[in-house]
């Protein structure tokens, strides 16, 4: 569901100034630009939901906290 003008390369996210401001506020909470932008877009551009998602650890694409892959990380911690 891309916009007009063809597809951007993977990983390129185009945001309006207002959307970028929201991402910047999420980044100010301690998240990377990629994490903030992806969570914001995943929550249909709802900044509050995105912040909740990030803080709950439901969005961790770098794998540096609880294993990072979501799902049942408790089960595979001890294998």
């Amino acid at each position: 569901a891309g916009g007009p003008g063809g597809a951007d390369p993977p990983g390129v996210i185009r945001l309006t100034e207002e959307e970028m401001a929201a991402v910047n506020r999420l980044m100010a909470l301690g998240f990377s630009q990629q994490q903030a932008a992806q969570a914001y877009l995943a929550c249909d551009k709802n900044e509050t939901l995105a912040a909740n998602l990030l803080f709950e650890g439901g969005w961790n694409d770098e794998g540096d906290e609880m294993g990072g892959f979501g799902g049942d990380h408790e089960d595979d911690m001890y294998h």
Side-chain angles (χ1 to χ4, degrees):
D8 287 320
V12 172
I13 300 172
R14 296 195 183 279
L15 300 173
T16 67
E17 268 186 56
E18 186 178 321
E19 292 164 353
M20 198 63 218
V23 170
N24 286 335
R25 288 189 291 271
L26 293 169
M27 288 168 58
L29 300 174
F31 301 99
S32 73
Q33 182 174 10
Q34 184 174 5
Q35 287 173 312
Q38 288 180 341
Y40 181 64
L41 295 173
C43 292
D44 289 325
K45 301 181 182 176
N46 182 319
E47 188 178 343
T48 305
L49 279 180
N52 288 340
L53 180 66
L54 289 163
F55 279 124
E56 288 170 6
W59 199 272
N60 184 4
D61 58 354
E62 294 174 12
D64 59 353
E65 298 218 358
M66 305 283 261
F69 296 108
D72 285 44
H73 51 267
E74 293 167 24
D75 290 347
D76 36 288
M77 273 173 81
Y78 304 106
H79 289 232

